Amino acid sequence: MPALSAAQARDVINRYSKINNEANADRNRRLLDTVEDGPLYAMSVSDYTETAADREPYKSWSYDVANAKLYIPRLAAGQERWFAAALSSEKGKAPSRLAVFTERPQHERWEMVSVVDLDSQKLPEVALDGEGYATAIAAHDNRRLAADADVLRTAVLDNFVTGGTDTGTKVFAPTKASKRQIKVHGDAATRFGDKGTSVFDGADNRFTDAYALKTADGGALILFSHTHTQTDAVAHSGLQINPGKGDRAWLHDVPRTSITYTFVCNDAATVPAKAEPSRLIGYTCARTNASGPPIPSWSASA
């Protein structure tokens, strides 16, 4: 049976927009926690932390629910209820992001757990039945999928860590999103010249849930998350890294010899029915932490 009706899904999205605005206006984490969960909540709380000193007036917004494209899956008995939606935050504009909402039965409410900004307004062709409902498939099934969520996550991490040389460029066909990740890796390698290094690595990922829908070509649209780190370090003593404006919430204004940033990201990919490369169609990251040792002179004076 369908996870919920289209009218109910639109109500869920409207409720999200309304309460998200109320929470954001006061940076109210507890209120935000009633409409967000998973990686999205971690990303939003991080934004609250970074912008705590920003006193600019908050501008409210809402998703264009009338033009939302809903992907409501039919689910087997006992399956977790969820749905995806292609959304736009500007009325009349084509949807440009994919969001996932899941039901939290213990709280008797629906919450948004991830959202991905897409590189193209051409949406993936999700297979819909005669009544407009989608088909949910197992996102972690590497026997039925050319690449499941774990394979995709490993490939995304490889794009950042090695520039895609191990698995990234083998799992993914070149797309704007995958090329951008590889460019991030390449830019980091030369960022400090001979004065320092910038290295990416995978990190403990608390957000292993993934969501998959059957596509019209027999493949799948898979929405998943990953966590990675970026460590910037000076090449030798006598040099220091001064925290930037966005770092101050975690590092204040204390110079460091190295800084490790943690990023939580949401990713979206289409997987073909056959053993061909998948396509990364978008990803969205947020810095959720930063830490590192102060320079020795600061430590001594402190």
Side-chain angles (χ1 to χ4, degrees), residues 76-225:
Q79 276 187 294
E80 178 188 39
R81 295 208 300 166
W82 66 277
F83 72 94
L87 301 168
S88 172
S89 54
E90 295 184 52
K91 289 205 180 291
K93 279 210 167 187
S96 59
R97 52 178 46 177
L98 281 173
V100 175
F101 295 84
T102 64
E103 186 187 37
R104 298 302 192 225
Q106 69 272 32
H107 301 304
E108 298 183 343
R109 64 187 180 225
W110 288 79
E111 299 181 2
M112 188 191 285
V113 294
S114 76
V115 64
V116 179
D117 291 311
L118 302 176
D119 284 314
S120 169
Q121 290 183 329
K122 183 183 179 184
L123 299 173
E125 292 188 42
V126 174
L128 302 176
D129 64 20
E131 295 181 317
Y133 292 108
T135 299
I137 56 180
H140 294 98
D141 190 345
N142 60 11
R143 293 168 299 175
R144 297 189 181 184
L145 296 168
D148 68 2
D150 294 327
V151 169
L152 297 172
R153 185 181 293 113
T154 298
V156 163
L157 287 169
D158 186 60
N159 281 345
F160 284 105
V161 175
T162 75
T165 57
D166 290 342
T167 62
T169 53
K170 297 178 180 68
V171 171
F172 292 119
T175 62
K176 285 184 179 179
S178 60
K179 287 178 180 177
R180 191 161 64 249
Q181 291 176 346
I182 291 170
K183 186 177 186 299
V184 167
H185 167 84
D187 289 348
T190 58
R191 182 178 172 194
F192 296 117
D194 60 359
K195 294 183 178 180
T197 57
S198 187
V199 178
F200 290 90
D201 202 356
D204 289 339
N205 180 44
R206 295 184 291 134
F207 309 112
T208 57
D209 289 347
Y211 306 86
L213 297 168
K214 185 179 179 181
T215 49
D217 63 0
L221 165 65
I222 303 183
L223 301 150
F224 59 102
S225 304

Side-chain angles (χ1 to χ4, degrees), residues 4 17 75 199 204 206 220 239 293 295:
L4 73 178
S17 295
L75 302 170
V199 178
D204 289 339
R206 295 184 291 134
L239 298 175
I295 59 172

